[in-house]
């Protein structure tokens, strides 16, 4: 939501960022195209400068529900607040789960909810139905180090379970070797959690080369 003047005088660490940005914007205009952020910027401008259009969309959407609110940007929250009328907004999210700051996620909006909307009601969902007690406690101890968050008292419903074990590996290769040993020694169903498919490809290859029975990848 920066103006051109603000961008040109922002003092970026990389000196040519404003020049690159301005050239990029000019290329978009010349080719009559816009990127995803532009769609929201132009939408915000239209709603701010065209009261009749803003009124139309406000009346069209009686209730607004925002899911995964910790992953939405400041610009998206601005659009949401313009469309929300009174207490017709329901926002679901967890600021502790915000991991997309690199793409402008703005979890502060969850903390500011009670200031931005009239008569707010904050409901904390503090029961964990997925994990066992030791996992929940370890995770709570870790995430409690965050500075800007709602305080929570997480409890689990699945009993104590096995203790969490911390495994230190020098690098990814050592990590895969450890997982291979676990798979070879395991005589029960064992799950390996991973962030994306790219992370799993070398491990699948390693399992195949060592005749580990094919699991559900």
């Amino acid at each position: 939501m920066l103006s051109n003047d603000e961008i040109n005088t922002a003092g970026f660490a990389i000196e040519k960022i404003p020049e690159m940005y301005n050239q990029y914007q000019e290329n978009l205009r010349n080719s009559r195209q816009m990127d995803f952020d532009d769609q929201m910027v132009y939408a915000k401008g239209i709603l701010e400068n065209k009261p009749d259009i803003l009124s139309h969309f406000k009346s069209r959407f009686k209730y607004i529900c925002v899911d995964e609110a910790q992953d939405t940007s400041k610009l998206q929250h601005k659009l949401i607040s313009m469309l929300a009328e009174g207490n017709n907004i329901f926002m679901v999210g967890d600021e502790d789960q915000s991991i997309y700051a690199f793409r402008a996620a703005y979890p502060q909006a969850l903390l500011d909810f009670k200031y931005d909307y009239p008569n707010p009601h904050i409901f904390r969902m503090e029961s964990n139905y997925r994990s066992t007690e030791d996992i929940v406690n370890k995770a709570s101890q870790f995430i409690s180090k965050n500075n800007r968050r709602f305080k929570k008292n997480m409890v689990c419903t699945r009993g104590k379970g096995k203790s969490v074990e911390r495994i230190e590996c020098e690098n990814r290769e050592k990590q895969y070797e450890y997982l291979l040993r676990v798979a070879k020694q395991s005589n029960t169903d064992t799950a390996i959690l991973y962030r994306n498919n790219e992370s799993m490809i070398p491990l699948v290859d390693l399992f195949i080369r060592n005749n580990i029975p094919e699991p559900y990848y």
Side-chain angles (χ1 to χ4, degrees):
M1 292 186 286
L2 298 176
S3 67
N4 287 335
D5 287 341
E6 288 172 323
I7 290 171
N8 289 325
T9 59
F12 292 98
I14 300 175
E15 184 178 345
K16 290 186 177 293
I17 286 291
E19 180 183 335
M20 294 163 62
Y21 171 79
N22 291 329
Q23 184 63 60
Y24 173 64
Q25 291 298 109
E26 183 178 347
N27 290 343
L28 285 175
R29 285 192 296 271
N30 291 340
S31 59
R32 300 181 64 82
Q33 294 180 343
M34 64 173 68
D35 63 20
F36 178 70
D37 290 329
D38 286 336
Q39 295 179 57
M40 292 188 289
V41 170
Y42 289 128
K44 174 177 172 289
I46 291 171
L47 295 178
E48 285 178 331
N49 297 307
K50 301 288 185 181
D52 55 328
I53 295 178
L54 176 59
S55 178
H56 166 76
F57 283 107
K58 277 181 145 183
S59 62
R60 181 176 177 182
F61 299 109
K62 187 176 180 181
Y63 301 106
I64 297 175
C65 178
V66 183
D67 194 18
E68 301 289 0
Q70 75 276 356
D71 296 335
T72 49
S73 69
K74 195 170 186 177
L75 176 53
Q76 287 172 311
H77 281 290
K78 178 63 178 176
L79 288 170
I80 292 164
S81 67
M82 294 173 69
L83 293 171
E85 184 68 49
N87 284 340
N88 69 337
I89 184 167
F90 186 75
M91 194 173 286
V92 184
D94 181 1
E95 75 287 353
D96 283 336
Q97 295 186 42
S98 181
I99 60 173
Y100 292 117
F102 67 92
R103 68 179 192 195
Y106 187 67
Q108 183 66 34
L110 285 168
L111 302 176
D112 292 342
F113 186 86
K114 58 185 176 183
Y115 307 114
D116 293 338
Y117 296 96
N119 278 330
H121 294 277
I122 310 296
F123 300 95
R124 287 174 172 80
M125 302 172 67
E126 297 177 311
S127 294
N128 186 306
Y129 301 98
R130 177 183 296 172
S131 301
T132 51
E133 183 177 311
D134 202 43
I135 294 174
V136 172
N137 289 342
K138 291 291 193 301
S140 295
Q141 291 170 18
F142 184 80
I143 205 69
S144 67
K145 306 301 180 183
N146 280 359
N147 293 322
R148 291 179 294 177
R149 64 189 297 268
F150 288 112
K151 289 186 177 180
K152 307 179 187 72
N153 180 31
M154 299 302 299
V155 295
C156 77
T157 61
R158 297 189 60 189
K160 182 170 178 59
K162 292 184 178 180
S163 297
V164 173
E165 183 180 0
R166 178 181 176 183
I167 308 298
E168 293 190 21
C169 300
E170 296 177 14
N171 50 45
R172 181 177 296 187
E173 181 180 347
K174 296 295 183 182
Q175 185 182 63
Y176 289 157
E177 290 176 0
Y178 169 78
L179 292 174
L180 176 63
R181 290 197 300 273
V182 171
K184 284 182 174 180
Q185 297 168 5
S186 177
N187 55 12
T188 61
D189 288 342
T190 302
I192 299 172
L193 306 182
Y194 53 95
R195 180 64 186 161
N196 50 43
N197 289 334
E198 182 181 0
S199 303
M200 190 61 177
I201 291 173
L203 186 59
V204 171
D205 179 70
L206 185 63
F207 278 13
I208 291 174
R209 293 175 185 275
N210 285 269
N211 299 315
I212 302 296
E214 182 177 346
Y216 298 102
Y217 297 127

